[in-house]
Amino acid sequence: MKQYETYMKECFELALKGQGSTSPNPMVGCIVLNSRGEVISKGFHAKCGGNHAERDALLKIDKNSAKEGTLIVNLEPCSHYGKTPPCADLIIEYGIKKVVIAMRDVNPIVAGNGIKKLKDAGIEVVEGVLEKEAEKLNEVFITNMKEERTFVALKTASTLDGKVATSTGSSKWITSSGAREEARRLRTLYDAILTSSSTIIADNPTMEHKNKIILDRELKTDFENANIYKSGNIYVFYDKNLPQPKNTGRISFIPCPVMNERLDIKFILKKLYENKIMSVFAEAGGTLNGAMINYADKIYHFIAPKIIADNSAKSAFDGKNIYDINDSLNFRFDEMKVFSPDILLTYYPIRKI
Ligand code: AOF
Ligand code: ZN
């Protein structure tokens, strides 16, 4: 098992070449060894609709060279006719002797059927090589498949004392340009960005992205002139009791239920999934962060080595008002990266409603 870990890590690297383009499909990388254990081909799933990783790797070589060989892939080979024929069939056709995988496919139409197909053809299947890492790589796909919902990533940037702006609203810039560049890169990994009317009115950001979700309950942003509306497909969620604005070419207005003067986040996330937005990257202020935190799957938190020390300065997460420390929301730190002088902490919620 151990001897395949290095190859599996390389499969993850190959898989990452498709990052940002495979949705709603997973990221998959594949390595083929010949019967002598030499690497003879590599492949990856570049984009949805394209060849799967195994097909990409196998089609680059002739059938005889892979005979009695080993194929390493981070996801169970598929068994279904989708946009392409089953990878399991092609692996069998090439006379591969052993298949090493990191995790089973959680797509119910595959879920173990690929492995069964291979085993029925007499192929040895080694499972579970770097499984945890593989699950993290495809956390969005797993959430989509298992829970049939959009994966929610939340990004914030604060000072050491957790503030996102001073009491006067001054916030440009808390973090350095390197950290902000990383934040822009992170956006591209998700199907859509999501922000609030308050952020648009306060900062007038552009937030380059092909899909933008705007929460504007009172329809108070400037749809003609605000930078955010200048590009991308845009969905604006607003109070369903207001008159429906006219959709323009790029902007669709979606009426949304309101509870306690807040748009219903659950409803919004359901609508996003219906619209095939498999993941969303939320970037807004403390109010929306507080409202979304119970729905967040992952938090990217940039921290600058600065202190504001003012009780009336805005916090990264607001509105939960927890009084007993035992009732606090709990998280698990995942990684810490340095974007000098700032850091990026990623963490996952432990308790979710
Ligand atoms: C693999 N290797 O590289 C990928 C797999 O729509 P299709 O036909 O491309 O099928 C998508 C499904 O195939 C996807 O949900 C997942 O179950 C599997 N994706 N499988 O063996 C790959 N991308
Ligand atoms: Zn496949």
Side-chain angles (χ1 to χ4, degrees), residues 290 293-294 319-331 349-353:
I293 191 67
N294 285 329
K320 283 274 173 263
N321 305 337
I322 288 163
Y323 297 110
D324 185 335
I325 193 67
N326 297 305
D327 296 336
S328 63
L329 308 175
N330 295 309
F331 300 86
I350 291 176
R351 192 183 55 189
K352 285 202 278 183
I353 55 159

Side-chain angles (χ1 to χ4, degrees), residues 18 23 42 63 72 104 109 120 153 179 182 215 219 246 249 269 277 301 304 315:
S23 177
K42 296 176 186 178
K63 274 186 192 153
I72 300 131
R104 290 196 169 207
I109 48 177
D120 286 350
E182 173 64 2
L215 275 49
L219 294 170
K246 260 210 173 66
L269 294 176
I277 304 279
H301 194 153
S315 298

